[in-house]
Structure formats: structure tokens, C-alpha cells
Amino acid sequence: DGGITQSPKYLFRKEGQNVTLSCEQNLNHDAMYWYRQDPGQGLRLIYYSQIVNDFQKGDIAEGYSVSREKKESFPLTVTSAQKNPTAFYLCASTESVSGANVLTFGAGSRLTVL
Amino acid sequence: AQKITQTQPGMFVQEKEAVTLDCTYDTSDPSYGLFWYKQPSSGEMIFLIYQGSYDQQNATEGRYSLNFQKARKSANLVISASQLGDSAMYFCAMRRLNQAGTALIFGKGTTLSVSS
């Protein structure tokens, strides 16, 4: 079945360490997105990519980096520069449905900084 | 600036009853799209329903319907005949302006609890 796979589901990091969250999709979608969710909050956009080898900053890109070397993959690196990285991270891709361009989401990765 | 507001942090309903989750929005774009997503405790976001600003009729998908009142800038989600499996967090979202893709702006969500 087609979908978005995020890994790992849970990740623990020590302060000062970089970590990379994986996002792979087999939906043949062009656009991919990373969102961050904090408790009691909505989703906030970190980065997005419309096509391979191109990506744009979202609202809270500081302390994060991404790459888009393949259509299927959009990994997110949480760097040591991110001051409060503990959060739930969701990857998504865009499917066009009757012009609605519905976002399909992965199951998420929960990052905890110890 | 665009904004989505969900004023109900939590809602409680009994099985088989209908419930309305509120959503108001603000945008300067005459053409926009509104979405509702469900997030169960597992964390995955599940698309429920979509309403385009020029759609003549309110959107419906099974037990979900969207009460779209354009003049009031509201897009409330109505769930009919609630089920225990409807217990989850619900997010209203809007397509962002001035972006080639379809990134969404989300509200802070409403937690729905359905009891038997």
C-alpha cells in the first residue's frame, strides 16, 4: 500500500547532538512537508519542498535542515542549534484530490531531548 | 495575515449524538480551501473533509459535514451519530497564501471525547 513512512517512531537525544528523522513516500507526490507539533498546539511548518533539489523555509526553520535528493525522500535534521527540540514531528506530502490538494501524513516521530 | 481559530479546547458528547466543532478563519485571499483533520492518540493525521471557498454546497463525507458560512468566516465540522472511535483531536486548517505548494495553516485543535 502507498503511504508515508517516518522513522524512528521514538527518538531520544542528548543535548548538543544532531539527529535526523527519516521520511519516505511511495505515493509519487512532488511536494513534501515537515511540521512540528507541541502539546496543546496546532502544527507549525518547518520546511517544504515542491520538487527534487529544491526546498523552502517554513515558519520555524531555525535549528533545522533538510535535503531533497530523491523524490521519495525528505529527511529532517534537528541540529544542536534548535533550542527546544522536544516535540512530535510530522511529515506530509501533497495529493491532488478534486483541486483540494489534500495533505497525506506519516505516523510521526516523537523526539525527546534528555 | 491568515489565521485559524478553534475556541473549544475540549468537547464532550455521548454516543449517537451529533456534535459541532467550531472553526473561524481569516484570510485576504478570495479563493481559499478549508480542511478538517482528525488526530487519534496514535498521532497520525487523518483527512476528513474539504471545502472550497467557491463551492456552492456544504461538503459532506459520510457522518461528517462542514457548515460553511462564508460571510461569518466560519467552517464548523458537524459529526452526526458520534461513535467511541471519534474520540480524538480535531484540527481545522486552511491552505496558505503565496506558496506554490499546498502547505496548510492549522488551528490549535479541539479534543473530542465520546462516552457510552
Side-chain angles (χ1 to χ4, degrees):
Chain A
D1 288 338
I4 298 177
T5 301
Q6 289 188 241
S7 61
K9 190 170 180 63
Y10 298 96
L11 185 60
F12 298 89
R13 180 193 105 172
K14 294 182 180 179
E15 283 192 28
Q17 289 181 334
N18 292 357
V19 293
T20 297
L21 307 181
S22 171
C23 178
E24 302 279 332
Q25 56 103 353
N26 60 3
L27 300 166
N28 200 32
H29 289 173
D30 287 319
M32 298 186 73
Y33 309 84
W34 274 104
Y35 283 91
R36 169 180 171 144
Q37 185 180 18
D38 294 283
Q41 300 294 317
L43 280 65
R44 293 183 290 168
L45 183 65
I46 305 173
Y47 268 98
Y48 65 99
S49 168
Q50 303 302 317
I51 56 173
V52 175
N53 292 323
D54 183 62
F55 48 83
Q56 306 294 330
K57 292 182 179 180
D59 300 319
I60 55 167
E62 185 176 352
Y64 299 98
S65 66
V66 293
S67 63
R68 187 84 186 276
E69 297 177 0
K70 299 185 301 181
K71 187 176 185 178
E72 302 80 18
S73 178
F74 191 40
L76 174 74
T77 296
V78 185
T79 75
S80 57
Q82 169 50 233
K83 299 303 181 187
N84 185 20
T86 295
F88 188 55
Y89 292 88
L90 284 157
C91 179
S93 66
T94 301
E95 170 189 29
S96 294
V97 176
S98 301
N101 288 323
V102 174
L103 261 64
T104 300
F105 284 85
S109 293
R110 191 170 298 279
L111 173 62
T112 302
V113 174
L114 304 174
Chain B
Q2 292 179 290
K3 189 176 181 181
I4 293 283
T5 303
Q6 295 180 254
T7 58
Q8 307 155 312
M11 291 286 285
F12 298 87
V13 67
Q14 288 202 316
E15 266 186 305
K16 301 180 185 178
E17 291 184 349
V19 62
T20 297
L21 306 184
D22 294 341
C23 172
T24 58
Y25 60 91
D26 192 18
T27 181
S28 57
D29 191 353
S31 176
Y32 51 89
L34 295 156
F35 302 76
W36 277 92
Y37 280 84
K38 171 184 178 180
Q39 187 179 42
S41 57
S42 60
E44 187 168 356
M45 298 284 284
I46 302 167
F47 166 71
L48 295 178
I49 196 165
Y50 167 81
Q51 179 81 45
S53 59
Y54 290 120
D55 292 343
Q56 295 297 314
Q57 295 186 330
N58 287 346
T60 60
E61 288 287 348
R63 294 185 299 112
Y64 304 108
S65 60
L66 202 151
N67 183 2
F68 182 49
Q69 298 188 43
K70 198 169 181 177
R72 298 179 63 182
K73 293 190 175 181
S74 74
N76 299 339
L77 177 70
V78 181
I79 305 175
S80 63
S82 296
Q83 301 172 356
L84 294 177
D86 293 334
S87 294
M89 196 149 188
Y90 289 80
F91 290 95
C92 180
M94 179 166 59
R95 194 161 51 220
R96 296 167 69 103
L97 282 174
N98 300 325
Q99 289 187 345
T102 319
L104 301 179
I105 294 175
F106 287 83
K108 292 188 176 183
T110 297
T111 300
L112 176 66
S113 299
V114 181
S115 60
S116 57

